[in-house]
Amino acid sequence: MWLNLALALMGPLLLIGLLEGMAYIWEQRQANSLYAWELVASRRMVWEEHPAPGVGYTLIKPNSHYEWQGIPVDINSHGLRGPETTYEKPPGTFRILNLGDSIVMGWGVREENTYGRQLEAALNEENSSVLHFEVINAGVPGWNLENALAYLQAEGLKYEPDLILLGLTLTNDIKGDSALLADNQRPLIKWLRSNTYFWPFLTVQLRWMEARAEGRERIDVIDPPTSPDKYFPTDPESEQWKEFWNQVSAINQLAGEKDVPVVPIIFPLEFQVIDDSYPTLPQELLTARATEAGILVIDLLPAFQQACQEKLGGTCQLEDRYLFADVWMHPSAEGHNLIANELEALLSRMVEH
């Protein structure tokens, strides 16, 4: 009886083992492919949940290491990408807290190529005084502004920043759910997704089959919608705009209690950069609100558009990987360099005053 039972179990176990091995090889190939960050990185990061204050926030598992597309991602003991940093600010240091989501974190680029790290290097090179500049990369994939506010309350201000750069994206921050809700799946599905290779492999293949059946060339995760209303409300009177600005104001007010200025940075969509007819309502509304509130805001769209017009070999094309690292909105190394250059002159003047 036991022998028969063992033989009966052996078949399915061997099948699962074979499938797991095939899926492992598939994932390793995907991890070095053009879509490594979309197909692998987004599901292989391990998150640490902090349910309070407010809606709470997530951090990447402390002291973890990943590598996708040959790009290493090292997480420090505070759950952030970048070198080890103490909460206590060293004497003679001007510290900038770079707060935001995956764009700030540097999705798709090396850590040394992120605009925060490039900005830090440029400011230290330009200012030969005893003042040392330090940029803390407080960017976590999936965050919206509620998560950023919760993090600032719980940990961000512990770093004693002299300035906060608040990255604003036209996806997570406007229509995105809290990071703690984004992975709101049944426990078994979450376990299979995180601890096996065959489950992600099968689900991706199923999505490919569905896409082809619908006449689409790509699955959703690598085929972003072009319609503006998928990213932001097209009605300027929408309640979502008021809620969005309320979160920006709350972050500014919290930082203001510590006399720390906040500078919002508006990151553009690639569609806006390459298509002059694509709506720019977010930039218009946010710039107007910031001006009314006396908040300095940096709109990067004009700089990105100019860089694309001056691109060697012709203007930018959709998904040409010139200023954007993927098919969504994450800047490439060249895009991060452009952002750092835009910020450097402005911040140098702010520090002088």
Side-chain angles (χ1 to χ4, degrees):
M1 182 184 69
W2 289 110
L3 178 61
N4 289 336
L5 180 61
L7 290 173
L9 292 173
M10 189 177 297
L13 289 176
L14 286 174
L15 180 61
I16 292 174
L18 179 62
L19 184 59
E20 185 77 352
M22 292 173 56
Y24 172 80
I25 294 172
W26 173 84
E27 182 164 307
Q28 295 311 301
R29 290 177 178 174
Q30 295 302 319
N32 291 292
S33 73
L34 186 64
Y35 300 119
W37 290 76
E38 293 95 324
L39 292 178
V40 182
S42 58
R43 69 168 181 270
R44 284 305 176 198
M45 283 188 175
V46 179
W47 305 103
E48 182 180 82
E49 296 187 352
H50 297 259
V55 301
Y57 59 97
T58 54
L59 293 173
I60 309 171
K61 182 181 178 181
N63 302 311
S64 54
H65 171 80
Y66 308 93
E67 186 170 318
W68 301 293
Q69 215 170 356
I71 299 172
V73 179
D74 293 298
I75 307 304
N76 63 29
S77 62
H78 292 292
L80 302 174
R81 188 183 188 186
E84 281 298 322
T85 307
T86 61
Y87 286 132
E88 184 179 1
K89 183 171 60 179
T93 298
F94 187 95
R95 182 173 273 181
I96 299 171
L97 185 69
N98 197 17
L99 188 63
D101 59 13
S102 53
I103 292 182
V104 173
M105 174 261 197
W107 191 263
V109 300
R110 293 181 175 274
E111 197 272 339
E112 62 267 25
N113 289 333
T114 61
Y115 74 85
R117 194 62 60 229
Q118 293 189 65
L119 176 63
E120 178 185 87
L123 290 172
N124 281 320
E125 182 178 348
E126 180 182 336
N127 295 271
S128 57
S129 65
V130 293
L131 190 64
H132 175 74
F133 291 87
E134 190 176 54
V135 178
I136 306 291
N137 187 338
V140 177
W143 273 7
N144 63 11
L145 288 178
E146 289 181 308
N147 301 132
L149 174 61
Y151 173 79
L152 193 63
Q153 290 174 312
E155 296 188 54
L157 291 174
K158 291 182 181 179
Y159 287 103
E160 303 174 332
D162 299 286
L163 174 69
I164 295 174
L165 296 177
L166 177 62
L168 303 178
T169 72
L170 307 188
T171 49
N172 292 342
D173 289 338
I174 297 178
K175 288 198 170 185
D177 290 327
S178 164
L180 275 73
L181 299 176
D183 197 27
N184 190 20
Q185 298 174 326
R186 285 175 292 180
L188 177 60
I189 301 301
K190 288 179 68 173
W191 188 91
L192 289 170
R193 189 172 185 266
S194 301
N195 296 280
T196 70
Y197 292 99
F198 76 84
W199 183 264
F201 169 75
L202 291 176
T203 54
V204 170
Q205 300 312 310
L206 179 60
R207 289 183 183 126
W208 274 111
M209 292 173 60
E210 291 174 344
R212 293 189 183 103
E214 295 171 0
R216 294 185 289 119
E217 295 182 359
R218 302 189 302 190
I219 59 177
D220 291 341
V221 71
I222 56 175
D223 192 21
T226 58
S227 177
D229 61 12
K230 297 295 184 181
Y231 302 99
F232 51 83
T234 53
D235 177 9
E237 300 301 321
S238 170
E239 283 295 320
Q240 280 187 300
W241 287 119
K242 297 176 184 177
E243 295 170 6
F244 177 81
W245 184 252
N246 286 341
Q247 294 299 322
V248 175
S249 298
I251 291 173
N252 184 64
Q253 181 177 351
L254 178 62
E257 293 173 3
K258 300 289 185 179
D259 294 322
V260 181
V262 175
V263 177
I265 306 170
I266 308 174
F267 299 114
L269 292 170
E270 186 174 19
F271 299 124
Q272 292 180 315
V273 174
I274 65 173
D275 184 358
D276 290 338
S277 66
Y278 203 89
T280 57
L281 181 62
Q283 285 84 351
E284 296 163 15
L285 285 180
L286 298 176
T287 300
R289 290 284 182 90
T291 301
E292 292 174 6
I295 301 173
L296 173 66
V297 65
I298 299 174
D299 176 11
L300 292 170
L301 180 58
F304 269 66
Q305 289 175 327
Q306 181 179 349
C308 274
Q309 291 297 323
E310 297 173 354
K311 174 177 171 283
L312 293 177
T315 58
C316 294
Q317 303 297 319
L318 186 64
E319 296 182 29
D320 61 7
R321 308 278 171 157
Y322 177 56
L323 292 180
F324 293 89
D326 59 13
V327 296
W328 289 84
M329 73 295 182
H330 299 99
S332 63
E334 185 66 30
H336 276 272
N337 183 60
L338 175 63
I339 297 171
N341 290 337
E342 289 294 304
L343 294 174
E344 180 190 352
L346 174 67
L347 297 186
S348 293
R349 292 195 298 270
M350 288 183 63
V351 172
E352 289 174 1
H353 293 85

